[in-house]
Amino acid sequence: MYIDPKTGLKNEEGLKRSLQAEVNRVARKEGWLSVAVLDFRDFEWLRIDKGMVWSRLVRETTLRSIREMLRNYDQVGELSTGKIVLFSSDCDFDAFKALLNRVNVLIQELQSKNFMLQKIDLTLVGIFLSVQVKAKDYISVRCFEYLWSWIQE
């Protein structure tokens, strides 16, 4: 099973398989693929302050909301390290920045509507890159391997 039933997000193996398929698909038409590795800022302090159960509930609720606002072909999941990976095909640098901005606005709206979340900092931080995939056949495998390695670092 490649999906977490609580959040609807892909697990690490699900992300890996989906990324490989997207690299192959995008390479056939020389399209764009954008990838972000994100995490909640100071989430460890939230666990310490509020407890494991409460912080996991906040995380699951937030991640489920992110999944619901994305397009059907955008992919989001969690690595075994707890980092969040989001990738989108046919999405260049500017379009992906706009997508990440929409995720940020969603989190702010969740906080403003939920009294329990108003007193904590639920900010996502991370890095992203956008690449135009022009690889054919075996070269697309190398492109996938590079992206997967970048995600895991």
Side-chain angles (χ1 to χ4, degrees), residues 55-67:
S55 61
R56 187 67 196 167
L57 179 64
V58 167
R59 186 179 180 91
E60 288 171 0
T61 301
T62 304
L63 294 177
R64 190 172 38 255
S65 297
I66 292 170
R67 173 64 242 152

Side-chain angles (χ1 to χ4, degrees), residues 41 132 150:
R41 183 175 52 187
Q132 188 173 22
W150 181 84

Side-chain angles (χ1 to χ4, degrees), residues 23-41:
V23 167
N24 290 336
R25 188 185 72 74
V26 170
R28 286 192 298 272
K29 60 180 191 164
E30 297 186 355
W32 287 89
L33 181 65
S34 295
V35 182
V37 180
L38 308 167
D39 203 357
F40 290 98
R41 183 175 52 187

